[in-house]
């Protein structure tokens, strides 16, 4: 019967070859999503902003990362299904009902599309775009959210208007636009179920999802029933939470793919983790008394999970927080601000951020051309430095300084080097790991009594001291301010 499940989940219409994962199969409706212009734009958005200026191989795109996340999310779900069937020792003669097969298939397809679209709202240069001062001002403009959803009902996904837009809000908007153009009816899927497992959303799942959720929980938990009186209403919420944790959680498909992909293309293997080993030890966890449903890991899989966390920790410190990389990120943000000094560019970017008809124009290519335009007019500009890979002069690196300590150290450096205080700039990267202990306690360790063979779930920090060792780390790099003009020229002259 496991073969029947694999056949059901393994049918595909196209195969994409990926340098990290190998062949990645696609369903027909997924091909329609990928072929949409708003998804195709991800080909022209680099996964790691301009990290390639430091690690030349890191030119990979959000496009292939998103497809990779879909593939990893599928593997996670299937690995847990397979482990459940294997541990229940179902024989080939034991048949799952058609309702159970249908529920598994539906949830798997929801996971795949949620993973595929999770980053679809990223704009040029990914995270650096929204960190640029003038872009943040644009995205914080009153009525921006309503303009973005003009003519559409956002209340299906957002119960209230967010105070400030992030790229996750744009991902939801893009997903709605893309899924509205896809024949989801033919696939038997509902957009609200897909978008409901993406970040920032709060949805009422479809009747189809609710039906499958009850079937799935009964399949996993057997004859156990929820203790709460309103347990029947809790089931869809519990299952949707489980699916959401696969798309975006502490052990999620997004992190697993970007760590493998970024390490591969950067030719960096710091820490390292074995995805196959990690997935083979993931399990469905549930507790009908709380009620709770989420990811669990076997006791023997703790080593693989510790490798996963340590690898991520090291990637932040040694790659994403590299002194030259953070210096280029600072220059990039200033160059973006510089481009927006031009009234025509400002108006166009403002339009793109408010209208899905033009949002696809916001790619790295747009800004590279804008940088070159500024650089031709003004050699003493941030754009010129970016275009010509002129890096910041690094002065010093410190860790875990307060704001006051950063200012004091900047003044000290300026005095020692004979510079003015304004000649020293800082770049800070916060590696937020203090929440590892709390968040990983949401992932239980599945333990079995060696005598009774009964399963029990324990907090992960009760079993392993490893996860309590991490805290927030702040890396601060100090640089000399480059010699640039106070303001880029008016490019309309």
């Amino acid at each position: 019967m496991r073969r029947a499940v694999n056949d059901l989940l393994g049918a595909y219409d196209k195969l994409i070859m990926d340098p990290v994962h190998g062949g990645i199969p696609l369903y027909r409706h997924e091909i329609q999503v990928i072929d949409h212009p708003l998804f195709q734009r991800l080909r022209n958005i680099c996964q790691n902003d301009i990290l390639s200026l430091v690690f030349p191989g890191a030119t990979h795109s959000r496009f292939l990362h998103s497809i990779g996340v879909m593939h990893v999310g599928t593997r996670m779900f299937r690995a847990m299904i397979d482990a459940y069937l294997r541990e229940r020792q179902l024989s080939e003669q034991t048949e799952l009902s058609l309702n159970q097969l249908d529920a598994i298939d539906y949830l798997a397809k929801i996971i795949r599309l949620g993973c595929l679209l999770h980053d679809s709202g990223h704009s040029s240069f990914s995270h650096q775009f929204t960190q640029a001062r003038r872009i943040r001002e644009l995205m914080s403009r009153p009525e921006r959210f309503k303009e973005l959803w003009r003519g559409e009902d956002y209340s299906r996904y957002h119960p209230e208007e967010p105070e400030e837009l992030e790229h996750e809000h744009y991902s939801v908007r893009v997903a709605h636009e893309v899924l509205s153009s896809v024949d989801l009816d033919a696939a038997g899927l509902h957009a609200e179920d897909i978008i409901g497992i993406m970040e920032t959303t709060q949805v009422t799942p479809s009747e189809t999802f609710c039906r499958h959720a009850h079937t799935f929980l009964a399949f996993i938990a057997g004859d156990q029933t929820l203790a709460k009186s309103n347990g029947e209403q809790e089931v869809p919420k519990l299952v949707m939470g489980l699916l959401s944790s696969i798309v975006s959680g502490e052990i999620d498909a997004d992190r697993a793919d970007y760590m493998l992909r970024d390490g591969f293309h950067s030719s960096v293997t710091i820490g390292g983790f074995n995805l196959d080993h990690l997935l083979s030890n993931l399990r469905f966890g549930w507790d009908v008394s709380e009620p709770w449903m989420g990811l669990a890991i076997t006791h023997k899989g703790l080593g693989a999970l510790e490798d996963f966390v340590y690898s991520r920790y090291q990637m932040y410190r040694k790659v994403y927080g590299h002194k030259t990389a953070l210096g280029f990120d600072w220059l990039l943000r200033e160059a973006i601000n510089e481009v927006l000094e031009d009234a025509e560019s400002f108006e166009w970017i403002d339009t793109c951020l408010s209208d899905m008809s033009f949002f696809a124009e916001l790619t790295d290519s747009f800004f590279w051309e804008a940088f070159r335009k500024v650089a031709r007019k003004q050699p003493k500009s941030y754009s010129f430095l970016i275009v010509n890979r002129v890096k910041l002069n690094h002065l010093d690196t410190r860790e875990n300084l307060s704001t006051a300590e950063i200012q004091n150290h900047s003044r000290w450096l300026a005095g020692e080097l004979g510079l003015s205080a304004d000649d020293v700039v800082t770049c800070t990267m916060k590696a937020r790991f203090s929440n590892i202990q709390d968040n990983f306690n949401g992932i239980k360790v599945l333990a079995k009594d060696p005598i009774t063979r009964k399963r029990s779930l324990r907090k992960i920090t009760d079993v392993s001291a490893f996860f309590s060792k991490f805290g927030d780390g702040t890396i601060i790099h100090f640089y000399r301010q480059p010699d640039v003009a106070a303001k880029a020229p008016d490019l309309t002259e």
Side-chain angles (χ1 to χ4, degrees):
M1 184 46 57
R2 272 184 287 140
R3 186 180 302 116
V5 175
N6 287 339
D7 288 345
L8 182 63
L9 299 180
Y12 63 90
D13 299 283
K14 189 174 183 178
L15 193 69
I16 285 182
M17 298 308 299
D18 175 36
V20 174
H21 301 296
I24 297 179
L26 300 172
Y27 292 105
R28 185 173 291 105
H29 60 276
E30 293 164 354
I31 298 170
Q32 294 173 1
V33 169
I34 291 171
D35 285 343
H36 194 283
L38 283 171
F39 193 89
Q40 285 291 312
R41 64 184 282 277
L42 297 178
R43 290 181 181 272
N44 298 309
I45 296 176
C46 193
Q47 169 73 10
N48 298 117
D49 48 76
I50 53 172
L51 188 65
S52 61
L53 295 185
V54 181
F55 300 93
T59 58
H60 51 298
S61 69
R62 287 273 163 188
F63 176 83
L64 199 50
H65 163 64
S66 297
I67 295 174
V69 174
M70 178 189 70
H71 179 67
V72 175
T74 304
R75 288 192 61 194
M76 289 177 68
F77 187 68
R78 290 183 60 178
M80 289 186 285
I81 290 287
D82 185 69
Y84 175 83
L85 295 176
R86 184 176 62 252
E87 290 175 0
R88 284 295 182 94
Q89 297 181 341
L90 296 180
S91 67
E92 291 296 324
Q93 290 74 36
T94 304
E95 294 188 1
L96 298 178
S97 70
L98 291 178
N99 286 341
Q100 290 171 331
L101 291 171
D102 197 24
I104 292 170
D105 182 53
Y106 188 86
L107 299 183
K109 288 176 178 175
I110 291 298
I111 291 170
R112 287 175 64 84
L113 285 177
C115 288
L116 185 63
L117 292 164
H118 82 288
D119 266 353
S120 57
H122 266 297
S123 296
S124 313
F125 301 114
S126 296
H127 292 285
Q128 295 306 315
F129 179 79
T130 54
Q131 292 181 28
R133 172 180 52 81
R134 300 212 66 190
I135 295 297
R136 287 247 49 96
E137 292 171 356
L138 272 177
M139 292 179 66
S140 301
R141 183 166 60 78
E143 303 299 313
R144 172 74 66 189
F145 183 76
K146 290 182 179 177
E147 290 175 0
L148 188 63
W149 283 93
R150 187 183 294 114
E152 301 289 341
D153 180 15
Y154 65 79
S155 65
R156 295 173 60 190
Y157 316 120
H158 302 288
E160 57 186 29
E161 182 179 346
E163 293 182 2
E164 190 171 6
L165 292 182
E166 302 290 349
H167 78 268
E168 290 89 352
H169 295 105
Y170 278 89
S171 292
V172 172
R173 181 65 183 92
V174 169
H176 172 78
E177 192 76 12
V178 172
L179 294 174
S180 296
S181 69
V182 172
D183 188 7
L184 288 181
D185 288 340
L189 302 174
H190 298 272
E192 61 267 34
D193 300 336
I194 298 162
I195 296 177
I197 65 172
M198 296 170 63
E199 289 185 276
T200 75
T201 61
Q202 186 177 333
V203 307
T204 299
S206 70
E207 291 183 6
T208 302
F209 184 93
C210 293
R211 183 178 72 254
H212 289 318
H214 282 93
T215 300
F216 179 75
L217 183 62
F219 165 66
I220 294 298
D223 57 1
Q224 299 182 57
T225 57
L226 299 185
K228 288 190 175 182
S229 59
N230 61 342
E232 288 298 304
Q233 287 73 39
E234 291 277 339
V235 172
K237 180 180 177 181
L238 290 173
V239 174
M240 186 159 279
L242 170 69
L243 304 192
S244 297
S245 68
I246 294 175
V247 178
S248 179
E250 284 302 326
I251 312 177
D252 61 17
D254 180 33
R255 287 192 174 103
D257 182 81
Y258 78 61
M259 287 199 299
L260 290 173
R261 194 171 300 277
D262 293 354
F264 175 84
H265 286 286
S266 302
S267 298
V268 173
T269 53
I270 298 172
F273 74 98
N274 188 315
L275 180 62
D276 292 334
H277 188 203
L278 180 63
L279 296 186
S280 69
N281 285 285
L282 283 182
R283 300 292 187 270
F284 296 116
W286 73 92
D287 185 340
V288 295
S289 62
E290 291 190 23
W292 174 85
M293 189 173 195
L295 299 181
I297 190 159
T298 66
H299 194 278
K300 70 176 182 179
L302 281 175
L305 182 57
E306 291 169 358
D307 288 344
F308 176 84
V309 174
Y310 184 70
S311 177
R312 179 177 160 225
Y313 178 78
Q314 289 290 69
M315 284 291 287
Y316 268 89
R317 293 182 58 85
K318 305 299 184 183
V319 177
Y320 308 135
H322 189 283
K323 67 180 188 298
T324 308
L326 283 191
F328 276 123
D329 285 345
W330 186 89
L331 285 173
L332 175 62
R333 294 191 296 271
E334 293 302 317
I336 292 173
N337 292 332
E338 204 170 53
V339 166
L340 268 72
E341 293 288 345
D342 173 52
E344 184 179 350
S345 295
F346 180 91
E347 183 179 353
W348 177 241
I349 294 168
D350 186 33
T351 299
C352 292
L353 287 171
S354 297
D355 192 332
M356 280 294 107
S357 301
F358 304 106
F359 186 69
E361 300 290 335
L362 285 180
T363 65
D364 294 2
S365 303
F366 171 84
F367 275 96
W368 279 115
E369 288 305 312
F371 295 156
R372 293 186 183 98
K373 188 177 180 181
V374 174
R376 285 194 297 269
K377 292 280 187 177
Q378 178 58 274
K380 285 194 172 183
S381 63
Y382 296 111
S383 295
F384 182 90
L385 300 180
I386 285 290
V387 169
N388 292 280
R389 199 191 174 276
V390 180
K391 62 184 180 180
L392 289 180
N393 182 11
H394 180 255
L395 302 177
D396 197 11
T397 297
R398 289 288 185 271
E399 293 189 18
N400 303 325
L401 299 182
S402 67
T403 301
E405 289 171 332
I406 292 173
Q407 293 173 348
N408 290 337
H409 193 64
S410 294
R411 284 193 292 267
W412 180 83
L413 283 173
E416 290 294 308
L417 297 172
L419 305 172
S420 70
D422 292 337
D423 286 334
V424 177
V425 298
T426 61
C427 297
T428 301
M429 169 168 277
K430 293 182 179 179
R432 294 181 176 88
F433 288 96
S434 62
N435 61 355
I436 280 182
Q437 180 169 340
D438 292 337
N439 288 353
F440 269 97
N441 270 334
I443 302 167
K444 310 295 186 183
V445 177
L446 182 63
K448 285 188 177 181
D449 187 287
I451 299 176
T452 65
R453 306 300 295 171
K454 288 185 178 180
R455 59 188 295 281
S456 63
L457 294 169
R458 300 178 62 188
K459 285 186 177 181
I460 204 165
T461 46
D462 289 344
V463 179
S464 171
F466 174 85
F467 299 94
S468 61
K469 296 177 180 179
F470 292 91
D472 285 352
T474 303
I475 302 172
I476 309 105
H477 296 303
F478 298 81
Y479 307 88
R480 181 168 183 166
Q481 169 76 257
D483 182 19
V484 297
K487 184 178 179 180
D490 184 353
L491 303 181
T492 62
E493 295 175 354

